[in-house]
């Protein structure tokens, strides 16, 4: 066999970017293993990577361009050449640009981790400011709130330090294992989200780190925690303020850091007095003693780190919740120290998404929110209403739109009104079947070369290395974007092929694609305590890249935007406290979207081994609750609330709170008829999530704290 060393990226999608060994025999990919020499994952690999051959050679894979020859929603496709596909697309988009303006085209991507940079370049070179990360709510409730809030408070993003910034990892002399790790609203062993791999947490625990877990579910990590805080979903802001109350009132904070490097500590001290542990217990369902124990364990462990997850983004007012967590790690003295939460500044010279120029920004879909140029709900509004200008076309690459979104029928209606849609994907998805006029076949990462350009905050830059020829006529996402860009704006795309494009990206680093591939990967230069060394501010002075030069506990950027500059807690718009009358009819709190080993959002449903692991959509219910409802393990049940219902299979587990249920998301059935959009409406939990509940900042959404009831399928409603 030939063995090709590469990095797992899109497609299919993944959060991380693990080193892989691709085994090739007779020009076919036959096996995938983790690369033990790659510092990111050190040989560990999830099932989604291991089954890549079942993706590459899947009989349902799209392997040539197609054009719809009947009305949208009718199944009728004709095979066409790449030249014909590109010609149709370029004629349509150039005509729209001439008649309506380039802003009338939306460029959509999903969580495909090395697509956003390329999609943004295509959109902006065409002249459209309207690029969206489609679902959940286009990033407004998934990771982006963390990025925006951290940059306002600290000037840069931070991540838990598990030695990932050093090639020699845990043996590096500068690194120090965290005395305590607080895993908050995250299941990294399964999800490995946003540049942090779950096994790193395990390695720290092996080396003696203590563990606190905040989660309504007893995850694998929660079962091994020194303190497990089983929180009422959506009350994370109150818990964060309660922890701050204990740390400040018991003088467990780092007084030197607070005095020299924070702004607004006195105001913060006054605000947290509103959240004593007794009150926080009432709000969160967590016993007071456990709150105090967790605060002391975290603050007294030197250093301590916090690994937070998407659950903190997925409450309506997520910004003040995130603000309180940043304040917690800052006043504890755990910011940018070995084993704490370290600031990540990237590899100098590599490209990022950057900012739109003023001309483009002025044409972006407008939004009333103070922190965002546009919000996902307003994108849908504009698609439906055509005001202030019509949306005439979409470019959809690496996303499954309404299957992974809140209020999917509204999203579906919006796309159905768009006159021309291009979809780039591996398979015929509900999105492609419902909307695509032209469908283009993408290549997997085993069939292409590429670069691991962020996001998320990866500590290295490496090459994705082609191991096999693309199946059929499929092409890499980057080849498709380059060819499209050359036809829409030739001056902005001077490269003959993607290798020349990659070389130009790497030129500021003094290397070419071939040189980087020979090296394998490079780590970013990394330093601790960058604020003391003048490494964060453009003027080179010590401090943070904020208006005050300090970590802004009292956030001047929020104040300038007309928002509360201090963290606070607000009840969810619907819940047992805010809407008790509704809770009588719908008594269970619904969590949506927990990550599972088998799937990445709506991907992988047609992969045999992964469907064997997770054959059906699952809703987790406590056995005592299920007994009261007459539900047994494995029963098909309806999950229902005021907005809709869907059908999933009950899994009984004592590892969830009796008043909480947890539902998988992104479900459709590739084996179902295409005329029925592959059963996209049957088990889609998005049907229970309404529109219009974005936070006042423009960020946040209550994906994980709605109300519902459950009854066996076949019974009458309300049974």
């Amino acid at each position: 066999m030939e063995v090709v060393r590469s990095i797992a990226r899109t497609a299919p999608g993944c959060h991380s970017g693990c080193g892989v060994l691709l085994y090739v025999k007779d020009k076919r990919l036959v096996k995938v293993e983790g690369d033990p020499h790659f510092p990111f994952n050190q040989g560990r690999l999830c099932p989604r990577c291991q089954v890549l051959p079942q993706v590459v050679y899947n009989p349902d894979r799209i392997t040539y361009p197609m054009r719809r020859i009947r009305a949208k929603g009718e199944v009728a496709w004709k095979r066409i050449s790449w030249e014909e596909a590109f010609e149709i697309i370029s004629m349509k988009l150039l005509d729209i640009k001439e008649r309506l303006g380039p802003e009338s085209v939306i460029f959509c991507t999903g969580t495909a981790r090395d697509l956003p940079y390329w999609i943004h370049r295509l959109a902006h070179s065409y002249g459209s400011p309207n690029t969206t990360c489609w679902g959940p709510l286009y990033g407004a409730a998934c990771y982006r709130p963390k990025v925006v809030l951290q940059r306002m408070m600290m000037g840069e993003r931070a991540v838990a330090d598990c030695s990932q910034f050093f090639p020699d990892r845990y043996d590096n002399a500068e690194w120090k294992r965290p005395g305590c790790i607080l895993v908050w609203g995250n299941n990294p062993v399964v999800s490995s989200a946003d540049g942090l791999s779950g096994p790193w947490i395990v390695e720290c625990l092996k080396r003696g780190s203590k563990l606190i877990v905040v989660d309504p579910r007893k995850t694998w990590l929660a079962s091994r925690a020194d303190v497990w805080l089983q929180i009422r979903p959506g009350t994370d802001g109150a818990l964060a303020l309660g922890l701050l109350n204990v740390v400040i009132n018991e003088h467990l904070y780092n007084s030197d850091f607070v005095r020299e490097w924070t702004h607004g500590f006195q105001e913060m001290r006054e605000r947290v007095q509103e959240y004593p542990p007794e009150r926080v217990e009432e709000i969160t369902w967590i016993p007071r003693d456990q709150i105090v124990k967790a605060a002391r364990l975290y603050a007294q462990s030197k250093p301590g780190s916090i690994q937070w997850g998407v659950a903190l983004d997925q409450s309506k007012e997520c910004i003040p919740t995130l603000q309180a967590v940043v304040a917690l790690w800052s006043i504890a003295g755990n910011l940018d120290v070995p084993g704490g939460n370290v600031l990540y500044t990237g590899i100098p010279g590599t490209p990022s998404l950057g900012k739109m120029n003023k001309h483009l920004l002025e044409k972006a879909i407008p939004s009333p929110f103070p922190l965002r140029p546009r919000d996902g709900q307003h994108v849908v509004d504009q698609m439906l209403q055509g005001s202030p200008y019509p949306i005439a076309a979409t470019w959809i690459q690496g996303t499954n739109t309404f299957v992974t979104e809140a209020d999917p029928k509204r999203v579906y209606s919006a796309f159905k009104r768009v006159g021309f849609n291009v979809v780039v994907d591996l398979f015929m998805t509900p999105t492609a079947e419902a909307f695509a006029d032209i469908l283009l076949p993408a290549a997997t990462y085993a069939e292409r070369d590429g670069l691991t350009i962020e996001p998320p905050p990866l500590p290295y830059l490496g090459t994705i290395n082609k191991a096999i020829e693309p199946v059929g006529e499929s092409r890499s996402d980057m080849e498709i974007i380059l060819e499209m860009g050359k036809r829409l704006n030739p001056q902005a795309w001077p490269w003959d092929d993607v290798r020349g494009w990659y070389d130009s990206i790497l030129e500021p680093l003094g290397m070419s694609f071939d040189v980087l591939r020979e090296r394998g990967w490079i780590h970013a230069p990394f330093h601790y305590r960058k604020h003391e060394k003048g490494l964060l501010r453009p003027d080179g002075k010590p401090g943070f890249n904020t208006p005050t030069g300090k970590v802004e506990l009292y956030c001047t950027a929020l104040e300038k935007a007309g928002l509360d500059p201090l963290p606070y807690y607000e009840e969810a718009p619907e819940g047992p406290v805010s809407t008790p009358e509704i809770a009588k009819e719908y008594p269970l709190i619904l969590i949506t979207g927990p990550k599972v080993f088998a799937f990445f959002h709506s991907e992988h449903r047609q992969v045999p081994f992964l469907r064997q692991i997770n054959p059906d959509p699952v809703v987790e219910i406590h056995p005592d609750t299920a007994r009261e409802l007459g539900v047994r393990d494995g029963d098909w049940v309806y999950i229902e609330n005021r907005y809709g219902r869907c059908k999933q299979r009950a899994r009984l587990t004592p590892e969830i709170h009796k008043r909480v249920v947890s539902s998988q998301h992104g479900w459709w059935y590739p084996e179902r008829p295409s005329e029925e959009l592959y059963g996209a409406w049957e088990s889609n939990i998005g049907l229970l999530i309404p529109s219009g509940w974005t936070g006042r900042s423009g960020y946040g959404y209550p994906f994980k704290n709605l109300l519902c009831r459950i009854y066996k399928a076949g019974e009458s409603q309300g049974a």
Side-chain angles (χ1 to χ4, degrees), residues 41-57:
N41 58 311
Q42 298 179 304
R44 297 171 177 86
L45 210 60
C46 77
R48 297 186 297 273
C49 278
Q50 293 173 326
V51 301
L52 183 61
Q54 292 189 8
V55 176
V56 173
Y57 304 112

Side-chain angles (χ1 to χ4, degrees), residues 164 489 520 558 605:
Q164 67 266 38
N489 184 356
L558 289 174
R605 297 307 193 282

Side-chain angles (χ1 to χ4, degrees), residues 5-7 17-20 35-43 460 520-521:
R5 173 169 282 157
S6 189
I7 300 172
C18 295
V20 291
D35 184 350
H37 299 291
F38 195 71
F40 187 86
N41 58 311
Q42 298 179 304
Y460 63 84
W521 59 84

Side-chain angles (χ1 to χ4, degrees), residues 331 366 411 497 661:
I331 70 168
V411 176
D497 53 34
V661 295

Side-chain angles (χ1 to χ4, degrees), residues 189-388:
V189 172
V190 174
S191 63
S192 292
D194 303 324
L196 191 135
S197 183
W200 302 350
I201 305 287
V202 179
E203 288 296 332
C204 291
L205 299 183
K206 289 179 181 179
R207 288 161 172 78
S209 297
K210 299 293 185 181
L211 179 63
I212 303 169
V213 173
V214 181
D215 205 302
R217 304 162 68 226
K218 183 178 273 190
T219 62
W220 187 88
L221 283 175
S223 71
R224 288 149 177 82
D226 297 272
V227 182
W228 172 38
L229 304 178
Q230 191 175 23
I231 191 170
R232 172 163 70 95
T235 62
D236 304 88
L239 176 59
L241 287 158
L243 296 175
L244 281 167
N245 177 288
V246 175
V247 171
I248 290 175
N249 289 342
E250 294 190 4
H251 301 282
L252 301 178
Y253 56 89
N254 186 313
S255 57
D256 291 338
F257 186 88
V258 167
R259 181 179 60 256
E260 295 180 25
W261 300 112
T262 68
H263 169 74
F265 179 74
Q266 186 56 40
E267 291 89 340
M268 179 68 72
R269 180 198 293 274
E270 295 172 3
R271 174 60 58 88
V272 303
Q273 301 313 310
E274 301 173 22
Y275 299 91
E278 295 78 11
R279 182 189 176 203
V280 174
E281 176 180 1
E282 294 177 1
I283 295 172
T284 64
W285 299 348
I286 301 170
R288 174 196 181 281
D289 292 347
Q290 290 292 93
I291 296 169
V292 173
K293 181 180 179 181
R296 290 171 179 168
L297 176 57
Y298 172 73
Q300 292 174 342
S301 299
K302 301 299 182 185
S305 65
I306 297 177
Q307 167 56 22
W308 52 5
V310 73
L312 276 74
D313 302 335
Q314 294 186 348
S315 59
K316 181 175 179 291
E317 295 303 331
C318 72
I319 289 294
T321 297
L322 300 170
Q323 187 182 4
V325 177
V326 172
L328 180 62
W329 74 46
S330 298
I331 70 168
N334 290 325
L335 179 57
D336 219 30
V337 299
N341 283 80
V342 292
L343 295 171
Y344 172 70
T345 56
I347 299 176
T350 55
S352 63
L353 298 182
K355 296 182 179 180
M356 286 188 283
N357 63 45
K358 184 178 179 181
H359 173 67
L360 279 182
L361 191 59
E362 289 174 347
K363 296 190 294 182
I365 293 174
S367 165
F369 297 119
L371 297 185
R372 287 176 58 79
R374 61 190 179 277
D375 170 71
Q377 299 297 329
H378 290 82
V379 174
V380 174
D381 286 343
Q382 181 144 344
M383 295 171 77
L384 289 170
Q385 300 167 9
S387 176

Side-chain angles (χ1 to χ4, degrees), residues 550-595:
K550 299 181 178 183
V551 176
E552 296 200 350
L553 308 178
Y554 182 101
C555 185
T556 58
L558 289 174
E559 183 178 44
K560 185 177 180 180
L563 300 169
D564 194 329
L566 292 168
Y568 59 90
Y569 168 70
E570 182 177 299
E571 278 288 336
E574 181 177 290
V577 175
S578 53
T579 56
E581 291 303 313
I582 296 173
K584 290 179 182 178
E585 186 175 0
Y586 302 101
L588 298 172
I589 298 177
L590 174 64
I591 302 173
T592 65
K595 297 296 186 295

